[in-house]
């Protein structure tokens, strides 16, 4: 019987091999006091007239017995539930060699005699077991179909198999920061279409530099730490050098050493809007071709700031204030240009302007003022802070960077 259906039992009686007249039969049945019972009313209920109602899936025995128990008959009834639908996981994205099990359900959930069959549209892309476990074989697309045997019911799962990650690359392989400086690490994978959904960043020495789950690096104290990103089991590293006053030389044609420049008299007075302070770079500090840099302890730093604020004042804009956090970013950006032998905004995290080869604050600021694109950044009315840095060598090489927020 289907769950929810009803049926009435129709007994047949035989008396001594003959069927008596209706009136006689009725008297004999009254004397026997026949009644119906169900062995499991939770599955099937039956009333005194033999009306049966299928309540839930299962089996129950319905018996018809005389009061004295000498005459009895029974029959086992199975209550069934016919499946009406099937669902399964809509889509899966895997890499070759991975496996995942489909979440398949047949409705109603108490359907009986259900057998689910799984098939793959392309076993060279993805295979599927009898229990719905999908195994990725090679890059491509396949459809896994789950069907209820003996019915027209089915559901499909779109399976995308991506190639495995072959390599991971960070936007920085080395970073030079001062304490409390920050930088943003990002990664790319090859091939580009590989699945890269699980990245973990770690630091080899959190006393030197820390990194959060999004790849934000924060310099803590002088030293060297390795930041590692692990993307689905494939790793890449960035070496972070934290120094109060040092410039890294990796990737440049110098001797690889670093040193601290002597402090200069700070001059933060405002410059006239009609002239630039000279702000010459103290190349004599850069012994033996080692890269040095300027910061807030050096007069060229303030010359750049004063020159830029003079431009803004002439345009009716408010002055920018120096930001040590933006200084750290400008420092990292100069370091990036040198190590990669480029002058590029690749990897920039803040608005910035760049220049190279200029020997003084007046020279670089004049160049920026005469360049429409650079001047537009300087004159952005939304900016309130600036970071400044310049890397230089005794032979006259310079890289300039200003960052804004």
């Amino acid at each position: 019987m289907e769950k929810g259906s009803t049926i009435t039992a129709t007994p047949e009686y035989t008396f001594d091999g003959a069927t008596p007249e209706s009136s006689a039969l009725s008297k004999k049945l009254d004397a026997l006091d026949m009644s119906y019972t169900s062995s499991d009313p939770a599955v099937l209920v039956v009333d005194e007239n033999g009306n049966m109602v299928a309540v839930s899936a299962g089996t129950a025995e319905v018996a018809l017995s005389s009061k004295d128990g000498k005459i009895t008959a029974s029959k086992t009834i199975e209550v069934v539930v016919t499946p009406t639908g099937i669902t399964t996981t809509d889509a899966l994205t895997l890499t070759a060699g991975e496996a995942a099990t489909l979440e398949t359900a047949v409705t109603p959930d108490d359907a009986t005699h259900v057998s689910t069959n799984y098939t793959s549209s392309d076993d060279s892309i993805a295979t599927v077991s009898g229990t719905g476990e999908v195994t990725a074989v090679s890059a491509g697309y396949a459809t896994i179909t789950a069907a209820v045997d003996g019915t027209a019911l089915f559901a499909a799962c779109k399976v995308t198999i991506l190639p495995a990650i072959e390599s991971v690359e960070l936007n920085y392989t080395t970073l030079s920061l001062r304490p409390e400086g920050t930088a943003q690490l990002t990664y790319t994978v090859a091939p580009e279409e590989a699945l890269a959904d699980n990245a973990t960043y770690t630091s080899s020495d959190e006393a030197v530099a820390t990194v959060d789950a999004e790849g934000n690096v924060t310099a803590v104290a002088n030293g060297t730490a390795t930041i590692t990103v692990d993307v689905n089991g494939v790793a890449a590293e960035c070496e972070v050098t934290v120094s109060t006053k040092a410039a890294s030389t990796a990737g440049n044609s110098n001797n690889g050493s670093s040193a601290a420049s002597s402090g200069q008299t700070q001059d933060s007075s405002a410059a006239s809007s009609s002239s630039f302070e000279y702000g010459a770079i103290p190349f004599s500090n850069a012994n033996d071709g080692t890269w040095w840099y300027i910061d807030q302890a050096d007069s060229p730093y303030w010359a750049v700031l004063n020159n830029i604020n003079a431009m803004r004042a002439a345009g009716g804009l408010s002055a920018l204030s120096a930001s040590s956090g933006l200084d750290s970013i400008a420092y990292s950006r100069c370091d990036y240009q040198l190590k990669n032998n480029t002058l590029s905004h690749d990897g920039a995290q803040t608005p910035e302007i760049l220049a190279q080869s200029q020997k003084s604050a007046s020279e670089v600021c004049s160049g920026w003022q005469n360049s429409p694109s650079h001047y537009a950044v300087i004159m952005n009315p939304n900016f309130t802070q600036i970071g400044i840095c310049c890397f230089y060598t005794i032979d006259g090489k310079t890289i300039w960077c200003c960052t804004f927020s």
Side-chain angles (χ1 to χ4, degrees):
M1 292 179 63
E2 185 73 26
K3 176 183 173 182
S5 66
T6 62
I7 191 173
T8 300
T10 306
E12 296 181 356
Y13 298 97
T14 302
F15 293 90
D16 297 329
T19 301
E21 298 294 332
S22 298
S23 60
L25 173 59
S26 183
K27 290 180 181 180
K28 289 182 178 292
L29 290 179
D30 288 343
L32 291 172
D33 194 11
M34 304 295 289
S35 63
Y36 290 92
T37 58
S38 170
S39 65
D40 192 347
V43 174
L44 187 80
V45 295
V46 60
D47 66 13
E48 60 184 10
N49 297 314
N51 298 310
M52 294 179 288
V53 179
V55 178
S56 63
T59 58
E61 185 179 68
V62 176
L64 177 62
S65 305
S66 62
K67 185 176 181 179
D68 60 11
K70 293 181 179 180
I71 298 176
T72 184
S74 65
K75 177 164 288 195
T76 299
I77 306 295
E78 181 183 10
V79 177
V80 298
V81 180
T82 301
T84 58
I86 183 172
T87 60
T88 194
T89 305
D90 289 334
L92 279 178
T93 299
L94 304 171
T95 57
E98 283 190 315
T101 300
L102 298 177
E103 295 182 2
T104 302
V106 174
T107 54
D109 57 10
D110 59 347
T112 56
H113 303 293
V114 173
S115 176
T116 304
N117 179 50
Y118 294 93
T119 56
S120 171
S121 64
D122 192 339
D123 285 337
S124 68
I125 302 296
T127 61
V128 63
S129 71
T131 58
E133 183 180 61
V134 178
T135 300
V137 178
S138 61
Y141 303 92
T143 299
I144 304 298
T145 301
V148 180
D149 286 344
T151 74
L153 303 174
F154 72 93
C157 174
K158 302 293 184 181
V159 179
T160 301
I161 309 302
L162 299 178
I165 296 175
E166 296 176 4
S167 63
V168 176
E169 183 176 348
L170 285 166
N171 58 328
Y172 295 110
T173 55
T174 58
L175 277 173
S176 296
L177 299 172
R178 283 169 287 184
E180 299 184 3
T182 61
Q184 172 70 60
L185 290 179
T186 59
Y187 66 87
T188 55
V189 300
E192 292 182 1
E193 63 272 22
L195 182 64
D197 61 346
N198 185 17
T200 303
Y201 289 92
T202 56
S203 171
S204 65
D205 190 345
E206 293 191 344
V208 174
T210 62
V211 62
D212 66 16
E214 283 70 46
N216 296 303
V217 178
T218 300
V220 178
N222 289 356
T224 301
T226 299
I227 304 299
T228 302
V229 62
D230 184 291
V231 186
N232 291 6
V234 182
E237 296 181 345
C238 173
E239 184 177 277
V240 179
T241 300
V242 180
S243 176
T244 303
K245 184 75 173 179
S248 176
T249 60
N252 294 285
S253 57
N254 48 49
N255 64 5
S257 63
S258 60
S261 66
S262 59
Q264 300 190 27
T265 302
Q266 177 175 317
D267 178 9
S268 58
S269 60
S272 167
S273 61
S274 61
S275 64
F276 288 115
E277 291 182 339
Y278 183 67
I281 295 298
F283 290 107
S284 59
N285 289 341
N287 301 317
D288 302 322
T290 301
W291 287 108
W292 282 51
Y293 68 92
I294 64 168
D295 61 13
Q296 293 188 24
D298 303 307
S299 61
Y301 178 102
W302 297 102
V304 170
L305 179 58
N306 293 337
N307 292 336
I308 286 177
N309 278 338
M311 295 183 215
R312 290 176 64 87
L317 300 178
S318 60
L320 302 175
S321 60
S323 165
S324 58
L326 289 174
D327 287 347
S328 293
I329 296 175
Y331 174 97
S332 295
R333 296 297 294 155
C334 287
D335 190 57
Y336 173 83
Q337 311 304 320
L338 292 172
K339 290 175 180 176
N340 292 278
N341 192 29
T342 187
L343 193 70
S344 166
H345 296 298
D346 291 347
Q349 305 158 47
T350 62
E352 65 179 26
I353 53 176
L354 302 172
Q356 63 181 355
S357 302
Q358 294 82 358
K359 305 299 189 294
S360 67
S362 63
E363 185 180 356
V364 71
C365 289
S366 292
W368 283 332
Q369 185 178 33
N370 293 325
S371 168
S373 59
H374 294 84
Y375 186 68
V377 176
I378 291 172
M379 300 302 289
N380 189 320
N382 296 318
F383 294 153
T384 60
Q385 295 182 313
I386 188 172
I388 301 167
C389 190
C390 174
F391 276 29
Y392 60 94
T393 62
I394 196 170
D395 58 3
K397 295 178 181 178
T398 61
I399 293 288
W400 299 80
C401 178
C402 291
T403 56
F404 301 84
S405 73

